[in-house]
Amino acid sequence: MIPDGVTPADDKIAAEIFGVSVGYWQDRKHWTKIRGLKLLNRKGSRRRLYSKEQLLAARLEEERAKAVNEVPRYDLPPVPAGEHPDDLLDLEESLYALPEDRRVTVPTWKGYRFGTKTRLPEPDFNLGGEKGEDGEIVGGEDFWRRRTILDWDANRKGPGNPLGRPVGIKESHSRPLNPQAEERRERARQMLKEYPTTLTAKMLAEDLGVHPVHAERILRTARLEKVSELLAEEPDLTVEDVQRETGLSVTSHARKLLDEARQAGAESQ
């Protein structure tokens, strides 16, 4: 979590502040040598997060100590504690910001990120991403303000929500998509039919004119939709079936896709 009032920084920004390469920063694990430096990322997340204010203060202290041949005496600005509506949360932290009785499974929540029926709001912040040729941010990590997720949840349709549909009644229509996004998805579906076992993100990226990372997301969504359709026809669908129909060579990837399709199907019933 990135507390309100803190400027987030990752390894790249930290390395720039200390005037070293990212590889050097990571190899030396310099963050472990700064007394009082707080890591903001949750356990298990793929990206280390820091307070930029703390990093800048640590850098200044190290320069001062070096100039007078002393051991650094770090006195870093504190990181706010507690919860604030404007805290920035990553995807999984956003799920656990909801009341327990409103939470879904992690795979289902991740499916909401680019879902067609239930879809999370657009992120409030991205750290480390780059703007692609189409103007969209690719790569990096997305974050949502706590208030954004709670407001979205309070107003979304869903079982148990008095503002939403009654329990047992399914949504009558899907949330509208950006026309360009839907056009890309449709093209991905078409190409998956034409090249079911050989389509790659690189091929799709070249066809759509988007960054390969963005194409990977679109292709995964198309594959998940295809597996869901296959599962509706054949409840005993196997991992091997998924690999054969989608061209996924990595068994664990195919198993994960099948598990998500089953979970999504169970959630929609």
Side-chain angles (χ1 to χ4, degrees):
M1 180 187 79
I2 303 170
D4 177 51
V6 169
T7 305
D10 57 9
D11 280 346
K12 180 181 178 182
I13 295 173
E16 290 174 352
I17 290 173
F18 283 81
V20 297
S21 69
V22 176
Y24 184 86
W25 170 266
Q26 294 174 339
D27 290 343
R28 294 294 298 274
K29 293 183 170 58
H30 192 76
W31 62 90
T32 64
K33 301 175 176 63
I34 303 174
R35 180 175 51 81
L37 181 67
K38 182 177 178 60
L39 288 179
L40 306 179
N41 51 288
R42 62 178 170 78
K43 185 177 180 181
S45 61
R46 60 185 178 85
R47 184 184 299 271
R48 270 182 297 277
L49 298 176
Y50 317 89
S51 160
K52 188 175 182 179
E53 290 79 10
Q54 284 197 329
L55 291 174
L56 290 170
R59 175 60 170 164
L60 286 175
E61 171 56 20
E62 289 185 8
E63 290 179 345
R64 183 206 65 79
K66 183 178 180 180
V68 297
N69 196 27
E70 289 183 357
V71 175
R73 299 192 301 271
Y74 299 108
D75 183 17
L76 308 183
V79 172
E83 296 183 355
H84 189 279
D86 287 327
D87 292 337
L88 288 169
L89 311 175
D90 70 14
L91 185 58
E92 288 194 30
E93 288 169 340
S94 297
L95 169 61
Y96 292 106
L98 301 181
E100 189 172 355
D101 62 348
R102 294 286 295 162
R103 296 174 196 161
V104 295
T105 63
V106 173
T108 298
W109 185 255
K110 289 181 177 179
Y112 287 175
R113 175 65 185 91
F114 298 102
T116 55
K117 292 186 177 179
T118 302
R119 186 181 179 90
L120 295 181
E122 289 303 304
D124 293 300
F125 178 74
N126 177 280
L127 180 63
E130 297 181 359
K131 185 172 290 188
E133 295 179 358
D134 57 358
E136 294 192 32
I137 300 295
V138 294
E141 187 166 5
D142 294 327
F143 293 84
W144 291 259
R145 296 194 188 283
R146 190 184 301 277
R147 72 165 77 244
T148 299
I149 290 297
L150 294 179
D151 287 348
W152 169 84
D153 182 64
N155 291 285
R156 74 183 174 102
K157 295 181 178 180
N161 188 337
L163 296 177
R165 63 185 183 274
V167 176
I169 303 299
K170 295 185 178 181
E171 242 179 307
S172 60
H173 60 277
S174 300
R175 186 184 298 261
L177 288 176
N178 176 289
Q180 185 181 46
E182 179 54 33
E183 183 179 333
R184 288 171 176 168
R185 287 192 179 200
E186 183 55 39
R187 178 56 180 160
R189 297 184 193 106
Q190 180 182 343
M191 290 188 70
L192 194 57
K193 289 180 180 179
E194 296 176 359
Y195 313 100
T197 60
T198 58
L199 181 61
T200 65
K202 182 179 180 181
M203 290 170 57
L204 185 60
E206 292 175 352
D207 185 271
L208 298 178
V210 299
H211 192 282
V213 175
H214 189 192
E216 183 67 47
R217 293 175 180 172
I218 298 173
L219 178 55
R220 192 181 191 286
T221 298
R223 283 173 169 158
L224 182 59
E225 290 177 352
K226 182 172 184 178
V227 173
S228 296
E229 292 172 359
L230 293 170
L231 196 59
E233 298 175 359
E234 179 50 68
D236 295 325
L237 197 70
T238 66
V239 173
E240 290 74 18
D241 294 332
V242 172
Q243 288 183 280
R244 184 177 60 255
E245 295 292 338
T246 63
L248 286 171
S249 59
V250 180
T251 302
S252 61
H253 292 176
R255 181 179 292 109
K256 185 175 182 180
L257 206 64
L258 180 57
D259 289 343
E260 287 187 24
R262 282 179 174 150
Q263 184 63 48
E267 293 282 346
S268 66
Q269 292 179 357

